[in-house]
Amino acid sequence: MGRRPTFDAAQVITAARDVFWHSGFDGASLPEIEAATGLSRSSIYHAFTSKRGLFDAAVQDYLDTVVAPRLALLRTDDGLDAYFASMRSELDALDVDSPRRGCLLVTTAATSAAHDETLAVVVNAYRTALTEAFRGALTARGDSDVETRSRILVTMSVGALLQARVDRAEALAVIDAARALARGWESPVTTP
């Protein structure tokens, strides 16, 4: 019979998630993961079967603790503004050296998902969920062009998350522009 783990799996997953969030799957080295989690390579492999197993657990944690709450904002009465306000607030509050800049899934899309079909499925599922949430928010307020506008807002959201990794000021500007654009769509434009 094997020994019981003497570590808190949730803490290990969160620590590893931050390493993957910062470096991506390919860029995260095992020594870096060992240092962040406090586990040896053998303990990581014993508990998660591989670096990929730990990454998969970190992605699920990210979906549950970061993505789901933000998507839930889009189902509120003022969902679009609440979503972008939350993004802005979280990004603005981060230390410039924080590993949590940007988005774990956007980083994954830009690196590993390009050559890993399983990761591509996860990234595409995120994009689909984000698009559906924007569609729902736009539909709920009676928007006239849900398909086009949801795609624009998804693109701006993802763009801001990608930009957050290198230029916080520009990411905040994109978020502000998305909020202003979404607010502008609330009033129908009439032509003379």
Side-chain angles (χ1 to χ4, degrees):
M1 182 189 275
R3 290 187 327 194
R4 301 187 87 168
T6 58
F7 58 86
D8 182 329
Q11 288 178 343
V12 167
I13 291 168
T14 299
R17 183 192 70 196
D18 286 352
V19 173
F20 291 125
W21 196 336
H22 179 262
S23 303
F25 176 74
D26 293 333
S29 69
L30 278 170
E32 186 180 16
I33 294 168
E34 288 172 310
T37 63
L39 294 181
S40 67
R41 184 175 306 212
S42 63
S43 293
I44 291 169
Y45 284 128
H46 180 72
F48 300 98
T49 69
S50 64
K51 174 183 166 185
R52 177 55 183 270
L54 180 56
F55 178 76
D56 290 343
V59 166
Q60 188 58 56
D61 179 67
Y62 182 79
L63 290 168
D64 294 342
T65 62
V66 177
V67 172
R70 190 170 291 145
L71 292 182
L73 292 172
L74 287 165
R75 293 187 289 276
T76 63
D77 289 340
D78 195 20
L80 294 170
D81 198 60
Y83 173 86
F84 286 112
S86 171
M87 276 183 72
R88 187 182 214 300
S89 175
E90 289 172 22
L91 178 59
D92 202 33
L94 288 176
D95 180 61
V96 71
D97 295 324
S98 172
R100 295 180 178 187
R101 290 175 301 141
C103 171
L104 172 62
L105 295 174
V106 171
T107 299
T108 300
T111 56
S112 306
H115 57 269
D116 185 319
E117 190 173 317
T118 303
L119 289 178
V121 168
V122 171
V123 169
N124 280 327
Y126 164 64
R127 182 200 42 79
T128 298
L130 183 58
T131 302
E132 288 300 318
F134 275 122
R135 282 184 188 135
L138 290 164
T139 299
R141 72 177 200 186
D143 200 272
S144 62
D145 191 359
V146 171
E147 291 305 312
T148 300
R149 292 176 178 177
S150 64
R151 282 190 171 91
I152 290 168
L153 293 175
V154 166
T155 300
M156 292 182 83
S157 177
V158 169
L161 291 168
L162 184 58
Q163 190 64 42
R165 295 187 55 81
V166 295
D167 186 342
R168 181 196 329 231
E170 182 58 22
L172 293 171
V174 171
I175 292 167
D176 291 342
R179 280 179 88 181
L181 191 61
R183 286 179 185 149
W185 290 332
E186 290 180 300
S187 305
V189 177
T190 57
T191 54

PDB file of all heavy atoms in Angstrom, residues 80-106:
ATOM      1  N   LEU A  80     -22.143  43.002 -19.295  1.00  0.00           N
ATOM      2  CA  LEU A  80     -21.000  43.414 -20.103  1.00  0.00           C
ATOM      3  C   LEU A  80     -20.103  44.371 -19.324  1.00  0.00           C
ATOM      4  O   LEU A  80     -18.885  44.199 -19.283  1.00  0.00           O
ATOM      5  CB  LEU A  80     -21.472  44.064 -21.408  1.00  0.00           C
ATOM      6  CG  LEU A  80     -22.185  43.129 -22.370  1.00  0.00           C
ATOM      7  CD1 LEU A  80     -22.812  43.911 -23.511  1.00  0.00           C
ATOM      8  CD2 LEU A  80     -21.224  42.088 -22.901  1.00  0.00           C
ATOM      9  N   ASP A  81     -20.716  45.359 -18.696  1.00  0.00           N
ATOM     10  CA  ASP A  81     -19.913  46.308 -17.938  1.00  0.00           C
ATOM     11  C   ASP A  81     -19.261  45.625 -16.732  1.00  0.00           C
ATOM     12  O   ASP A  81     -18.099  45.887 -16.429  1.00  0.00           O
ATOM     13  CB  ASP A  81     -20.766  47.506 -17.494  1.00  0.00           C
ATOM     14  CG  ASP A  81     -19.889  48.673 -17.103  1.00  0.00           C
ATOM     15  OD1 ASP A  81     -19.112  49.153 -17.958  1.00  0.00           O
ATOM     16  OD2 ASP A  81     -19.959  49.091 -15.935  1.00  0.00           O
ATOM     17  N   ALA A  82     -20.000  44.751 -16.067  1.00  0.00           N
ATOM     18  CA  ALA A  82     -19.451  44.038 -14.910  1.00  0.00           C
ATOM     19  C   ALA A  82     -18.252  43.173 -15.317  1.00  0.00           C
ATOM     20  O   ALA A  82     -17.249  43.117 -14.597  1.00  0.00           O
ATOM     21  CB  ALA A  82     -20.526  43.177 -14.255  1.00  0.00           C
ATOM     22  N   TYR A  83     -18.334  42.511 -16.447  1.00  0.00           N
ATOM     23  CA  TYR A  83     -17.252  41.659 -16.932  1.00  0.00           C
ATOM     24  C   TYR A  83     -15.983  42.482 -17.164  1.00  0.00           C
ATOM     25  O   TYR A  83     -14.907  42.153 -16.661  1.00  0.00           O
ATOM     26  CB  TYR A  83     -17.680  40.956 -18.230  1.00  0.00           C
ATOM     27  CG  TYR A  83     -16.582  40.174 -18.899  1.00  0.00           C
ATOM     28  CD1 TYR A  83     -16.304  38.868 -18.535  1.00  0.00           C
ATOM     29  CD2 TYR A  83     -15.819  40.752 -19.911  1.00  0.00           C
ATOM     30  CE1 TYR A  83     -15.285  38.149 -19.154  1.00  0.00           C
ATOM     31  CE2 TYR A  83     -14.802  40.039 -20.532  1.00  0.00           C
ATOM     32  CZ  TYR A  83     -14.539  38.744 -20.148  1.00  0.00           C
ATOM     33  OH  TYR A  83     -13.533  38.041 -20.769  1.00  0.00           O
ATOM     34  N   PHE A  84     -16.115  43.553 -17.943  1.00  0.00           N
ATOM     35  CA  PHE A  84     -14.935  44.360 -18.254  1.00  0.00           C
ATOM     36  C   PHE A  84     -14.435  45.129 -17.035  1.00  0.00           C
ATOM     37  O   PHE A  84     -13.224  45.315 -16.867  1.00  0.00           O
ATOM     38  CB  PHE A  84     -15.198  45.284 -19.445  1.00  0.00           C
ATOM     39  CG  PHE A  84     -15.230  44.537 -20.755  1.00  0.00           C
ATOM     40  CD1 PHE A  84     -16.409  44.401 -21.468  1.00  0.00           C
ATOM     41  CD2 PHE A  84     -14.094  43.933 -21.259  1.00  0.00           C
ATOM     42  CE1 PHE A  84     -16.441  43.707 -22.665  1.00  0.00           C
ATOM     43  CE2 PHE A  84     -14.110  43.223 -22.447  1.00  0.00           C
ATOM     44  CZ  PHE A  84     -15.296  43.112 -23.157  1.00  0.00           C
ATOM     45  N   ALA A  85     -15.332  45.549 -16.147  1.00  0.00           N
ATOM     46  CA  ALA A  85     -14.900  46.210 -14.911  1.00  0.00           C
ATOM     47  C   ALA A  85     -14.090  45.247 -14.052  1.00  0.00           C
ATOM     48  O   ALA A  85     -13.070  45.626 -13.462  1.00  0.00           O
ATOM     49  CB  ALA A  85     -16.115  46.731 -14.141  1.00  0.00           C
ATOM     50  N   SER A  86     -14.515  43.995 -13.991  1.00  0.00           N
ATOM     51  CA  SER A  86     -13.789  42.985 -13.227  1.00  0.00           C
ATOM     52  C   SER A  86     -12.408  42.745 -13.821  1.00  0.00           C
ATOM     53  O   SER A  86     -11.407  42.682 -13.102  1.00  0.00           O
ATOM     54  CB  SER A  86     -14.589  41.683 -13.203  1.00  0.00           C
ATOM     55  OG  SER A  86     -13.830  40.642 -12.644  1.00  0.00           O
ATOM     56  N   MET A  87     -12.339  42.602 -15.142  1.00  0.00           N
ATOM     57  CA  MET A  87     -11.042  42.415 -15.805  1.00  0.00           C
ATOM     58  C   MET A  87     -10.107  43.573 -15.478  1.00  0.00           C
ATOM     59  O   MET A  87      -8.942  43.381 -15.142  1.00  0.00           O
ATOM     60  CB  MET A  87     -11.212  42.356 -17.329  1.00  0.00           C
ATOM     61  CG  MET A  87     -11.572  41.022 -17.891  1.00  0.00           C
ATOM     62  SD  MET A  87     -11.652  41.094 -19.702  1.00  0.00           S
ATOM     63  CE  MET A  87      -9.926  41.233 -20.128  1.00  0.00           C
ATOM     64  N   ARG A  88     -10.651  44.780 -15.590  1.00  0.00           N
ATOM     65  CA  ARG A  88      -9.842  45.981 -15.361  1.00  0.00           C
ATOM     66  C   ARG A  88      -9.336  46.029 -13.923  1.00  0.00           C
ATOM     67  O   ARG A  88      -8.162  46.280 -13.657  1.00  0.00           O
ATOM     68  CB  ARG A  88     -10.639  47.236 -15.679  1.00  0.00           C
ATOM     69  CG  ARG A  88      -9.785  48.473 -15.615  1.00  0.00           C
ATOM     70  CD  ARG A  88     -10.546  49.738 -15.880  1.00  0.00           C
ATOM     71  NE  ARG A  88      -9.741  50.722 -16.559  1.00  0.00           N
ATOM     72  CZ  ARG A  88      -8.614  51.245 -16.094  1.00  0.00           C
ATOM     73  NH1 ARG A  88      -8.109  50.840 -14.946  1.00  0.00           N
ATOM     74  NH2 ARG A  88      -7.952  52.148 -16.770  1.00  0.00           N
ATOM     75  N   SER A  89     -10.244  45.795 -12.995  1.00  0.00           N
ATOM     76  CA  SER A  89      -9.896  45.853 -11.582  1.00  0.00           C
ATOM     77  C   SER A  89      -8.823  44.824 -11.224  1.00  0.00           C
ATOM     78  O   SER A  89      -7.853  45.135 -10.526  1.00  0.00           O
ATOM     79  CB  SER A  89     -11.153  45.629 -10.747  1.00  0.00           C
ATOM     80  OG  SER A  89     -10.838  45.573  -9.391  1.00  0.00           O
ATOM     81  N   GLU A  90      -8.991  43.605 -11.707  1.00  0.00           N
ATOM     82  CA  GLU A  90      -8.022  42.547 -11.414  1.00  0.00           C
ATOM     83  C   GLU A  90      -6.658  42.853 -12.012  1.00  0.00           C
ATOM     84  O   GLU A  90      -5.625  42.698 -11.353  1.00  0.00           O
ATOM     85  CB  GLU A  90      -8.539  41.202 -11.917  1.00  0.00           C
ATOM     86  CG  GLU A  90      -9.697  40.675 -11.096  1.00  0.00           C
ATOM     87  CD  GLU A  90     -10.346  39.441 -11.704  1.00  0.00           C
ATOM     88  OE1 GLU A  90      -9.677  38.751 -12.507  1.00  0.00           O
ATOM     89  OE2 GLU A  90     -11.507  39.180 -11.383  1.00  0.00           O
ATOM     90  N   LEU A  91      -6.639  43.310 -13.256  1.00  0.00           N
ATOM     91  CA  LEU A  91      -5.370  43.620 -13.909  1.00  0.00           C
ATOM     92  C   LEU A  91      -4.701  44.817 -13.244  1.00  0.00           C
ATOM     93  O   LEU A  91      -3.491  44.811 -12.998  1.00  0.00           O
ATOM     94  CB  LEU A  91      -5.583  43.889 -15.397  1.00  0.00           C
ATOM     95  CG  LEU A  91      -4.344  44.281 -16.193  1.00  0.00           C
ATOM     96  CD1 LEU A  91      -3.273  43.204 -16.105  1.00  0.00           C
ATOM     97  CD2 LEU A  91      -4.716  44.544 -17.642  1.00  0.00           C
ATOM     98  N   ASP A  92      -5.477  45.830 -12.933  1.00  0.00           N
ATOM     99  CA  ASP A  92      -4.925  47.036 -12.323  1.00  0.00           C
ATOM    100  C   ASP A  92      -4.347  46.751 -10.936  1.00  0.00           C
ATOM    101  O   ASP A  92      -3.389  47.393 -10.521  1.00  0.00           O
ATOM    102  CB  ASP A  92      -6.016  48.111 -12.241  1.00  0.00           C
ATOM    103  CG  ASP A  92      -5.439  49.502 -12.126  1.00  0.00           C
ATOM    104  OD1 ASP A  92      -4.356  49.765 -12.685  1.00  0.00           O
ATOM    105  OD2 ASP A  92      -6.079  50.338 -11.467  1.00  0.00           O
ATOM    106  N   ALA A  93      -4.905  45.779 -10.226  1.00  0.00           N
ATOM    107  CA  ALA A  93      -4.460  45.456  -8.868  1.00  0.00           C
ATOM    108  C   ALA A  93      -3.201  44.584  -8.839  1.00  0.00           C
ATOM    109  O   ALA A  93      -2.539  44.500  -7.806  1.00  0.00           O
ATOM    110  CB  ALA A  93      -5.581  44.759  -8.102  1.00  0.00           C
ATOM    111  N   LEU A  94      -2.868  43.948  -9.936  1.00  0.00           N
ATOM    112  CA  LEU A  94      -1.723  43.037  -9.961  1.00  0.00           C
ATOM    113  C   LEU A  94      -0.398  43.789  -9.907  1.00  0.00           C
ATOM    114  O   LEU A  94      -0.223  44.819 -10.547  1.00  0.00           O
ATOM    115  CB  LEU A  94      -1.729  42.183 -11.233  1.00  0.00           C
ATOM    116  CG  LEU A  94      -2.780  41.097 -11.332  1.00  0.00           C
ATOM    117  CD1 LEU A  94      -2.689  40.419 -12.691  1.00  0.00           C
ATOM    118  CD2 LEU A  94      -2.631  40.088 -10.223  1.00  0.00           C
ATOM    119  N   ASP A  95       0.526  43.215  -9.174  1.00  0.00           N
ATOM    120  CA  ASP A  95       1.894  43.696  -9.171  1.00  0.00           C
ATOM    121  C   ASP A  95       2.473  43.461 -10.564  1.00  0.00           C
ATOM    122  O   ASP A  95       2.142  42.473 -11.231  1.00  0.00           O
ATOM    123  CB  ASP A  95       2.694  42.921  -8.112  1.00  0.00           C
ATOM    124  CG  ASP A  95       4.128  43.365  -8.045  1.00  0.00           C
ATOM    125  OD1 ASP A  95       4.345  44.551  -7.747  1.00  0.00           O
ATOM    126  OD2 ASP A  95       5.016  42.526  -8.293  1.00  0.00           O
ATOM    127  N   VAL A  96       3.320  44.349 -11.006  1.00  0.00           N
ATOM    128  CA  VAL A  96       3.884  44.251 -12.347  1.00  0.00           C
ATOM    129  C   VAL A  96       4.627  42.933 -12.587  1.00  0.00           C
ATOM    130  O   VAL A  96       4.721  42.455 -13.712  1.00  0.00           O
ATOM    131  CB  VAL A  96       4.786  45.473 -12.661  1.00  0.00           C
ATOM    132  CG1 VAL A  96       6.074  45.417 -11.850  1.00  0.00           C
ATOM    133  CG2 VAL A  96       5.073  45.573 -14.131  1.00  0.00           C
ATOM    134  N   ASP A  97       5.118  42.308 -11.521  1.00  0.00           N
ATOM    135  CA  ASP A  97       5.836  41.035 -11.657  1.00  0.00           C
ATOM    136  C   ASP A  97       4.954  39.817 -11.393  1.00  0.00           C
ATOM    137  O   ASP A  97       5.458  38.691 -11.343  1.00  0.00           O
ATOM    138  CB  ASP A  97       7.031  41.008 -10.693  1.00  0.00           C
ATOM    139  CG  ASP A  97       8.063  42.063 -11.054  1.00  0.00           C
ATOM    140  OD1 ASP A  97       8.258  42.312 -12.255  1.00  0.00           O
ATOM    141  OD2 ASP A  97       8.661  42.640 -10.128  1.00  0.00           O
ATOM    142  N   SER A  98       3.668  40.012 -11.229  1.00  0.00           N
ATOM    143  CA  SER A  98       2.769  38.905 -10.912  1.00  0.00           C
ATOM    144  C   SER A  98       2.749  37.875 -12.042  1.00  0.00           C
ATOM    145  O   SER A  98       2.694  38.233 -13.222  1.00  0.00           O
ATOM    146  CB  SER A  98       1.348  39.425 -10.688  1.00  0.00           C
ATOM    147  OG  SER A  98       0.450  38.336 -10.555  1.00  0.00           O
ATOM    148  N   PRO A  99       2.753  36.587 -11.688  1.00  0.00           N
ATOM    149  CA  PRO A  99       2.636  35.562 -12.722  1.00  0.00           C
ATOM    150  C   PRO A  99       1.215  35.487 -13.293  1.00  0.00           C
ATOM    151  O   PRO A  99       0.990  34.836 -14.303  1.00  0.00           O
ATOM    152  CB  PRO A  99       2.985  34.266 -11.977  1.00  0.00           C
ATOM    153  CG  PRO A  99       2.638  34.547 -10.561  1.00  0.00           C
ATOM    154  CD  PRO A  99       2.919  36.022 -10.358  1.00  0.00           C
ATOM    155  N   ARG A 100       0.272  36.168 -12.661  1.00  0.00           N
ATOM    156  CA  ARG A 100      -1.130  36.078 -13.064  1.00  0.00           C
ATOM    157  C   ARG A 100      -1.551  37.163 -14.057  1.00  0.00           C
ATOM    158  O   ARG A 100      -2.721  37.483 -14.171  1.00  0.00           O
ATOM    159  CB  ARG A 100      -2.021  36.140 -11.822  1.00  0.00           C
ATOM    160  CG  ARG A 100      -1.813  34.952 -10.923  1.00  0.00           C
ATOM    161  CD  ARG A 100      -2.680  35.003  -9.709  1.00  0.00           C
ATOM    162  NE  ARG A 100      -2.450  33.803  -8.902  1.00  0.00           N
ATOM    163  CZ  ARG A 100      -3.148  33.484  -7.861  1.00  0.00           C
ATOM    164  NH1 ARG A 100      -4.132  34.262  -7.458  1.00  0.00           N
ATOM    165  NH2 ARG A 100      -2.872  32.386  -7.180  1.00  0.00           N
ATOM    166  N   ARG A 101      -0.600  37.691 -14.783  1.00  0.00           N
ATOM    167  CA  ARG A 101      -0.939  38.661 -15.817  1.00  0.00           C
ATOM    168  C   ARG A 101      -1.454  37.905 -17.032  1.00  0.00           C
ATOM    169  O   ARG A 101      -0.946  36.851 -17.384  1.00  0.00           O
ATOM    170  CB  ARG A 101       0.275  39.491 -16.205  1.00  0.00           C
ATOM    171  CG  ARG A 101       0.711  40.445 -15.118  1.00  0.00           C
ATOM    172  CD  ARG A 101       1.975  41.172 -15.468  1.00  0.00           C
ATOM    173  NE  ARG A 101       3.022  40.185 -15.687  1.00  0.00           N
ATOM    174  CZ  ARG A 101       3.950  40.265 -16.627  1.00  0.00           C
ATOM    175  NH1 ARG A 101       3.995  41.291 -17.417  1.00  0.00           N
ATOM    176  NH2 ARG A 101       4.865  39.325 -16.761  1.00  0.00           N
ATOM    177  N   GLY A 102      -2.455  38.461 -17.651  1.00  0.00           N
ATOM    178  CA  GLY A 102      -2.992  37.835 -18.843  1.00  0.00           C
ATOM    179  C   GLY A 102      -3.912  36.679 -18.515  1.00  0.00           C
ATOM    180  O   GLY A 102      -4.683  36.744 -17.567  1.00  0.00           O
ATOM    181  N   CYS A 103      -3.815  35.632 -19.285  1.00  0.00           N
ATOM    182  CA  CYS A 103      -4.739  34.494 -19.176  1.00  0.00           C
ATOM    183  C   CYS A 103      -3.974  33.205 -19.439  1.00  0.00           C
ATOM    184  O   CYS A 103      -3.260  33.102 -20.448  1.00  0.00           O
ATOM    185  CB  CYS A 103      -5.858  34.671 -20.194  1.00  0.00           C
ATOM    186  SG  CYS A 103      -6.967  33.267 -20.399  1.00  0.00           S
ATOM    187  N   LEU A 104      -4.130  32.256 -18.554  1.00  0.00           N
ATOM    188  CA  LEU A 104      -3.479  30.959 -18.729  1.00  0.00           C
ATOM    189  C   LEU A 104      -3.869  30.329 -20.059  1.00  0.00           C
ATOM    190  O   LEU A 104      -3.030  29.780 -20.774  1.00  0.00           O
ATOM    191  CB  LEU A 104      -3.844  30.028 -17.569  1.00  0.00           C
ATOM    192  CG  LEU A 104      -3.405  28.566 -17.677  1.00  0.00           C
ATOM    193  CD1 LEU A 104      -1.889  28.461 -17.741  1.00  0.00           C
ATOM    194  CD2 LEU A 104      -3.934  27.774 -16.511  1.00  0.00           C
ATOM    195  N   LEU A 105      -5.136  30.418 -20.431  1.00  0.00           N
ATOM    196  CA  LEU A 105      -5.588  29.775 -21.663  1.00  0.00           C
ATOM    197  C   LEU A 105      -5.140  30.530 -22.909  1.00  0.00           C
ATOM    198  O   LEU A 105      -4.865  29.914 -23.941  1.00  0.00           O
ATOM    199  CB  LEU A 105      -7.106  29.601 -21.634  1.00  0.00           C
ATOM    200  CG  LEU A 105      -7.579  28.654 -20.537  1.00  0.00           C
ATOM    201  CD1 LEU A 105      -9.094  28.624 -20.466  1.00  0.00           C
ATOM    202  CD2 LEU A 105      -7.021  27.258 -20.717  1.00  0.00           C
ATOM    203  N   VAL A 106      -5.055  31.856 -22.832  1.00  0.00           N
ATOM    204  CA  VAL A 106      -4.538  32.624 -23.966  1.00  0.00           C
ATOM    205  C   VAL A 106      -3.059  32.311 -24.162  1.00  0.00           C
ATOM    206  O   VAL A 106      -2.596  32.127 -25.288  1.00  0.00           O
ATOM    207  CB  VAL A 106      -4.793  34.137 -23.776  1.00  0.00           C
ATOM    208  CG1 VAL A 106      -4.059  34.961 -24.830  1.00  0.00           C
ATOM    209  CG2 VAL A 106      -6.292  34.432 -23.836  1.00  0.00           C
TER     210      VAL A 106
END
